[in-house]
Amino acid sequence: YVTHIHTYATYTMRVLKMSEIRSHCTSKSLWIVLGDKVWDLTSFAHPGGEKILLRCGGKVATDAFSKTHPKDL
């Protein structure tokens, strides 16, 4: 992946391998891939609870996200 690592207010451009992304799948370090971007959701409080995020942690979550969220989100 050539992508951005996004947090709430900033992003950094880096080249990431899926092996690195997959290692961020816990509540202490949680990244998900949406489209061509990697989001660091470690500090994000999901309204549906932490389990929802952990299911997608370290994975490409574009399909799961688009099924449950508006397109402009």
Side-chain angles (χ1 to χ4, degrees):
Y1 274 83
V2 176
T3 190
H4 296 77
I5 300 175
H6 288 264
T7 57
Y8 299 109
T10 65
Y11 70 89
T12 305
M13 185 91 172
R14 274 182 49 198
V15 175
L16 299 169
K17 293 182 179 185
M18 276 307 296
S19 59
E20 180 179 0
I21 295 167
R22 281 192 296 269
S23 71
H24 295 273
C25 60
T26 69
S27 59
K28 293 184 182 201
S29 182
L30 185 68
W31 293 4
I32 66 167
V33 178
L34 297 175
D36 65 347
K37 296 175 178 67
V38 176
W39 290 86
D40 179 351
L41 299 181
T42 306
S43 300
F44 181 70
H46 192 282
E50 184 180 59
K51 287 183 183 182
I52 291 171
L53 293 177
L54 289 173
R55 273 187 254 153
C56 296
K59 300 176 186 168
V60 177
T62 307
D63 290 340
F65 183 86
S66 63
K67 288 179 184 176
T68 58
H69 296 85
K71 291 182 182 184
D72 61 345
L73 183 61

